[in-house]
Amino acid sequence: MSATTDERFLRTSSPRRLLSRPEFGSVVGAMAVFLFFAFAADGFLRAASLSTVLYAASTIGIMAVPVALLMIGGEFDLSAGVLVTSSALVSSMFSYQMTANAWVGVGVSLLVTLAVGAFNGFMLTRTKLPSFIITLGTFLMLTGMNLGFTKLISGTVSTKSISDMEGFPSARAVFASTLTVGGVTVKITVLWWLVLVALASWILLRTRAGNWIFAVGGGKEAARAVGVPVDRTRIGLYMGVALGAWISGQHLLFSYDVVQSGEGVGNELIYIIAAVIGGCLITGGHGSAVGSAVGALLFGMTSKGIVFAEWNPDWFKFFLGAMLLLATLLNAWVRKRAEATT
């Protein structure tokens, strides 16, 4: 075979490279949703409305990014939603009970949350059980512990106020403040979200660890055979989800001061939906951090667009489910077209 016909020497055109990107389908869907609500909802294009959309997207996106990396690695985490609440509860109750600086509670919360992530990864690698079973067990344990410890320590289902404690104002500035950009007020969670997207994209596309993540998601045994540290990679991915949960939990605490122990249940599905809409495959080995960000943005536009359009919010879950199915079908079609043209 000559060099001109060898597929290794074929040049891929820009349109083909664009079609092959995991997030291409979600970007097309996001543009369609944006245009739809721009016409259907009065005030959707106002600066304040778009700021609200970005805030809603960022609260999902902070968790969707590490969840997407975990899914690219071929695993799930059903405990991600309640872990956010656990992170907030540990920070609040430790600071209150120990009458410590709020930052001490924040630090203890980070250690505890990362330990939960490491536990998930360790149990997965040692027991060989599916991640669905491992993290479902963690989900149930955390749900019970959140309620049990909160009632035991506080006497109610919510934490005590720590707003008068030393360090609270500075912690609120880091995790729950607002920024003014071009005369528009933006929550600091948007900045956290963008930083995580950039960091995750750099890891996936520019580091050896990124190659390991794709390899593990594509096939654990094949990856192990070529020297990929499969167990270490999977544990690291779960600890990445825990880091996102810690950031989200601190935002929850320092935004509202008081945390309800029952919050977070069901949010893990939203994080997974955002990642899938963004191009992540259920089977692993495919996806991007940018795609998860677009998926979270779609969620934010849909949830707030329905409000701005003054529709019945009871239909939101219907639209979310339809959006998931359409985005998944579009992503599959785009991927097939890209494979057929290469």
Side-chain angles (χ1 to χ4, degrees):
M1 179 181 294
S2 66
T4 56
T5 58
D6 192 330
E7 64 179 4
R8 292 174 299 175
F9 293 92
L10 293 176
R11 293 185 178 181
T12 305
S13 63
S14 296
R16 288 178 180 176
R17 288 198 300 269
L18 183 62
L19 282 173
S20 65
R21 291 296 305 163
E23 65 273 8
F24 178 77
S26 61
V27 170
V28 173
M31 293 172 61
V33 170
F34 178 83
L35 291 174
F36 175 77
F37 281 115
F39 288 100
D42 293 335
F44 182 78
L45 295 180
R46 294 174 184 168
S49 300
L50 294 177
S51 175
T52 302
V53 168
L54 283 176
Y55 174 60
S58 68
T59 56
I60 301 300
I62 287 173
M63 286 300 295
V65 170
V67 166
L69 265 63
L70 181 65
M71 291 182 66
I72 294 171
E75 306 297 344
F76 291 96
D77 190 349
L78 298 181
S79 66
V82 293
L83 186 56
V84 171
T85 305
S86 299
S87 172
L89 290 172
V90 170
S91 182
S92 177
M93 289 191 290
F94 188 89
S95 296
Y96 184 85
Q97 293 299 317
M98 300 299 175
T99 59
N101 187 297
W103 281 105
V104 176
V106 170
V108 171
S109 175
L110 175 61
L111 296 177
V112 171
T113 309
L114 289 177
V116 174
F119 170 80
N120 281 336
F122 178 81
M123 291 295 293
L124 181 73
T125 58
R126 289 294 179 269
T127 65
K128 310 301 180 183
L129 290 173
S131 57
F132 177 88
I133 299 298
I134 296 294
T135 58
L136 178 59
T138 307
F139 162 80
L140 294 173
M141 289 189 292
L142 289 178
T143 302
M145 291 173 64
N146 287 350
L147 178 60
F149 274 114
T150 304
K151 293 186 71 174
L152 178 66
I153 295 174
S154 302
T156 64
V157 296
S158 63
T159 60
K160 303 294 185 181
S161 172
I162 61 169
S163 60
D164 58 345
M165 303 196 73
E166 185 180 356
F168 186 90
S170 59
R172 168 170 278 181
V174 172
F175 294 106
S177 62
T178 56
L179 307 172
T180 302
V181 181
V184 179
T185 300
V186 179
K187 289 285 189 178
I188 199 171
T189 50
V190 176
L191 179 60
W192 277 106
W193 179 34
L194 294 177
V195 169
L196 287 177
V197 171
L199 177 61
S201 297
W202 176 74
I203 291 173
L204 283 177
L205 303 177
R206 294 289 183 266
T207 69
R208 184 168 53 180
N211 293 331
W212 292 346
I213 293 171
F214 281 109
V216 171
K220 292 185 287 291
E221 297 309 318
R224 185 176 283 111
V226 296
V228 173
V230 174
D231 292 349
R232 195 186 348 155
T233 299
R234 295 160 87 189
I235 292 174
L237 288 172
Y238 275 103
M239 293 183 71
V241 174
L243 178 63
W246 173 73
I247 296 171
S248 295
Q250 303 318 295
H251 170 69
L252 176 66
L253 170 61
F254 292 105
S255 290
Y256 303 104
D257 181 29
V258 174
V259 182
Q260 298 292 328
S261 60
E263 293 183 22
V265 176
N267 285 351
E268 62 281 345
L269 296 179
I270 295 177
Y271 308 146
I272 293 173
I273 288 172
V276 172
I277 290 175
C280 290
L281 294 182
I282 298 295
T283 53
H286 187 81
S288 70
V290 173
S292 72
V294 177
L297 183 60
L298 269 164
F299 178 89
M301 288 192 294
T302 303
S303 61
K304 299 306 176 183
I306 289 175
V307 175
F308 296 140
E310 299 181 353
W311 295 347
N312 189 338
D314 294 340
W315 288 91
F316 170 66
K317 290 294 179 64
F318 171 82
F319 286 113
L320 186 61
M323 188 168 61
L324 172 64
L325 290 176
L326 290 174
T328 304
L329 291 172
L330 179 59
N331 288 336
W333 178 81
V334 168
R335 191 166 58 253
K336 288 180 180 179
R337 292 286 295 178
E339 292 172 352
T341 55
T342 54

